[in-house]
Amino acid sequence: MGQRSINNVVDATNYILFELNQPLHAFDLARLRGPAVVIRRAKAGEPITTLDGVARKLTAEMTAICDAERPTIVAGVMGSAESEVSEKTTDLVLECAYFQPTRIRRTRRALGLASESSYRFERGIDLLGMPDAMRRAIELIIAVAGGELREAPLDLWPKPEQPRTVFVRPARVNHLLGVDVPRGDVERLLSAVGFVAAPKDERLAVQVPGWRPDVTREADLIEEVARLRGYDALPDELRPYRPGTVPDAPPMRARTRVREQLVRAGMLEARTIPLGAPDGPDAVEIRNPLSAEESHLRSRLLPGLVRRVEHNWAGSIRDVRLFEVGTVFRTGRGEGGRGMGAPEEWTSVAGVLTGARRPGHWSDGDAKVPDMDLWDLKYHFELAVQVAAPGAVVQALQDGVGWAATAGGVALGWAGPLEADAPRSAAPLFGFEVRVSESAPERPRYRPLPTTPAIVHDLALVLPAGVAADAVAVVLQRVGGKLLEHLEVFDEYRGPKLKGGARGVAWRLTFREPTRTLREAEVEKVITAALKALEEELDVRRRES
């Protein structure tokens, strides 16, 4: 078996280890102090020198096999030389035990000591096979070393352990596997690997052998049937199923909402690795990076998507619409904002847009499909904010090139143009990124169609340099109050007639009173008040024709 021979007694116990998968230990009775064999919890710091010659310290979580004074075996792992069988041994004590697998695994890891015994105890041995292993060891030792049995083996198990019986229903086998398995096949397959199956009403009473501690319930037996019958015999088509009643976790529901929204908008999902070069001061460094280019965890999703766009450009693919929902990281702060804490992480969604606004069509003729611009970006950004950060407000940036999403004064997202290594044929690249919230957006509420007519006014304004259209909208909505139902920009003018960087912006205002017919005089009064407020607050005036 490739094992080093020690002496006839120890070789016999090692032989049983491989023959029956049962570790045993033989003590020299004369070297036991007491004499006694005691199994107990080890004491913290209790010393023992194992058979490999290393002095070790035990902990209170370990189990020790001792004589009346000291530990002689680290239970389930390795013995010591204190009671080892030698050429002078004349009387033996044989020990055969079952130990809790998890405790042996923890002991082995704590000591850094693996053995043939620990390998088996960690995985679970035959709890019911110890009497047979003891009888076989006695026979083998008498055969190779002589001697006689002085006393019958003593069973110190707290209570008699009976074979476990698990009931399996043939109908349940068919339901879980999706195929009809005859009852006789179930009995035959289980009996072939040591189970004892007996009919009982509409079920099978299956006696589980001691060497299968992993089989504890009906589903385990059904898994055995599937494995023995052959997984290739199971159908591979999807069949009707009963939906579960347990809802998905809130983070998963939030990710699903975002994905569905952006896919409906015509974007494709990408999946990039969360590693890259440092993209900010808060990037989390990896201790054992695979390469210098992937030495940090990402703190944003956009750099990875930009690399995907560059990859598509290199393959002569000009029109790209990608998004990704993933986890981003940043360096954590210690208590009170001092020192370094555990890395922080959260879920974000990011998207990139470049190329034609829509696919070409034969009816276009020689006309070229226009490329996407900032307004296409704003549309997709608002869609993402709507489901990723419910309640957030989208506002234009101060420079007028891009937008930000905020809630309660906290920045949650950004959208704007991006820079990339672009070929000459590439269109401008735009992108956005939003932090995903677990809170669900409010459900749409029913609102009946209006029954009163609306009054629509077009209002052309001159905005000085540095005044954003969003600021004008805030004033118009405040002054218009409940009467102003809707407003939108429909035109912008820049030209020599407007000096000093000013521009003309035309608004379409829709007024309505839901309970009665609105009068023109009331609307004119509101517009006059709005023009006055705009001139006083923003120096915005009405543009003369």
Side-chain angles (χ1 to χ4, degrees), residues 333-497:
R333 305 298 179 190
E335 292 188 20
R338 299 185 300 273
M340 302 288 286
E344 300 175 4
E345 60 180 274
W346 63 88
T347 302
S348 290
V349 56
V352 287
L353 308 165
T354 184
R357 181 170 295 159
R358 59 173 175 82
H361 192 262
W362 61 267
S363 61
D364 296 331
D366 296 332
K368 180 183 177 182
V369 178
D371 288 334
M372 286 183 283
D373 55 21
L374 280 170
W375 299 109
D376 296 287
L377 170 66
K378 183 174 185 289
Y379 169 75
H380 287 86
F381 181 51
E382 289 179 339
L383 284 180
V385 171
Q386 179 183 354
V387 291
V393 178
V394 176
Q395 295 178 324
L397 298 176
Q398 291 295 331
D399 57 7
V401 185
W403 292 268
T406 58
V410 179
L412 298 178
W414 172 90
L418 300 173
E419 294 184 359
D421 186 9
R424 291 184 178 180
S425 60
L429 177 63
F430 306 98
F432 64 85
E433 185 160 347
V434 185
R435 183 165 181 167
V436 177
S437 170
E438 296 182 8
S439 59
E442 292 186 5
R443 292 185 177 183
R445 295 183 179 181
Y446 169 73
R447 186 174 62 184
L449 293 174
T451 58
T452 56
I455 297 178
V456 180
H457 267 264
D458 291 343
L459 186 63
L461 302 172
V462 178
L463 278 61
V467 177
D470 185 64
V472 176
V474 171
V475 176
L476 290 175
Q477 289 173 334
R478 188 185 75 237
V479 177
K482 295 181 179 180
L483 294 182
L484 182 58
E485 182 182 74
H486 182 69
L487 76 162
E488 63 178 346
V489 175
F490 71 90
D491 188 31
E492 182 187 41
Y493 170 77
R494 298 175 188 266
K497 294 182 180 181

Side-chain angles (χ1 to χ4, degrees), residues 123-147:
R123 288 156 177 80
I125 62 172
D126 186 356
L127 180 62
L128 305 177
M130 289 188 291
D132 293 334
M134 181 65 78
R135 284 191 294 268
R136 174 65 173 151
I138 294 170
E139 293 174 359
L140 197 57
I141 291 175
I142 292 176
V144 299

Side-chain angles (χ1 to χ4, degrees), residues 281-359:
D282 292 333
V284 180
E285 184 177 4
I286 300 175
R287 293 181 179 178
N288 56 340
L290 298 177
S291 65
E293 292 77 17
E294 298 176 351
S295 60
H296 289 71
L297 292 174
R298 64 189 177 191
S299 57
R300 295 184 301 150
L301 297 177
L302 278 176
L305 290 178
V306 170
R307 289 194 292 269
R308 292 297 88 205
V309 172
E310 292 173 343
H311 177 77
N312 280 273
W313 280 341
S316 302
I317 300 176
R318 184 175 182 272
D319 305 335
V320 182
R321 296 186 182 193
L322 297 176
F323 78 92
E324 181 176 9
V325 182
T327 305
V328 294
F329 309 83
R330 74 177 178 189
T331 304
R333 305 298 179 190
E335 292 188 20
R338 299 185 300 273
M340 302 288 286
E344 300 175 4
E345 60 180 274
W346 63 88
T347 302
S348 290
V349 56
V352 287
L353 308 165
T354 184
R357 181 170 295 159
R358 59 173 175 82

